Amino acid sequence: MAELTYKTLLRAVQNKEKVLARNADSIKKAADNITELADDTASDADALGAKSVDRDSLAECQELAKIIRGVSEAAITYAAKSADTAKTAKAAGDQARSTHGGIQEAFDRSTVTGLEEVSRDWLEQQ
C-alpha cells in the first residue's frame, strides 16, 4: 500500500473537489437542456391544438411534454444534490487544509533532519 501523507491526501481531495464541481456543472447544464426541451414540447402541443390536429396526436404530444417535464424535474433535483455534494467535498478539503496544514507547515519548516525516517509507532497517540 502506498504511504499516505498529508500532501498526497490533499492532492486527492483537491482532485475530487474539481471533479465533483465539474460534474455538478455538467448535470446542471443537462437539466437546463431537458427543461428547455420540455418547454418546447409543450409549445408544440399548444401549436398542434391551435391547428385543429386530431385529438390522439395532440394527446400524445401533451403526454410527451408531461414525461419530459418529469425527467426535467428529476434532473434538476439531481443537479441540486450534485451541487450539494461538490460543496461538501469543498468543505472537506477546507477542513483538511485547516486541520492538517499547520502540521505540514511546521514539518516543512523544521530544521531537524531525518524526520522522514521516524517510526510511525513512536508518533502514535497513547
Side-chain angles (χ1 to χ4, degrees):
M1 184 169 114
E3 185 175 323
L4 180 64
T5 65
Y6 168 73
K7 289 178 182 179
T8 59
L9 175 64
L10 185 61
R11 238 185 336 271
V13 169
Q14 287 172 333
N15 288 339
K16 286 293 181 193
E17 285 179 56
K18 289 176 187 174
V19 167
L20 288 170
R22 266 195 314 266
N23 289 347
D25 288 341
S26 296
I27 292 167
K28 174 72 171 101
K29 287 176 186 173
D32 291 343
N33 272 346
I34 294 168
T35 299
E36 190 175 317
L37 290 173
D39 293 341
D40 289 347
T41 305
S43 293
D44 291 345
D46 291 342
L48 288 175
K51 296 202 185 246
S52 301
V53 173
D54 68 287
R55 280 195 191 131
D56 290 339
S57 296
L58 180 58
E60 286 177 8
C61 192
Q62 288 170 337
E63 184 63 26
L64 178 61
K66 286 179 188 176
I67 291 169
I68 295 173
R69 178 71 61 207
V71 171
S72 169
E73 290 170 4
I76 289 168
T77 300
Y78 188 72
K81 297 293 183 186
S82 66
D84 290 347
T85 302
K87 288 176 189 173
T88 302
K90 174 137 179 37
D94 292 345
Q95 182 65 42
R97 284 184 284 280
S98 68
T99 302
H100 301 289
I103 296 168
Q104 184 66 45
E105 186 179 321
F107 181 84
D108 291 343
R109 281 194 324 242
S110 175
T111 58
V112 177
T113 58
L115 284 176
E116 293 84 8
E117 288 83 37
V118 171
S119 170
R120 294 202 181 274
D121 294 335
W122 187 79
L123 299 173
E124 281 184 11
Q125 184 176 0
Q126 301 206 3

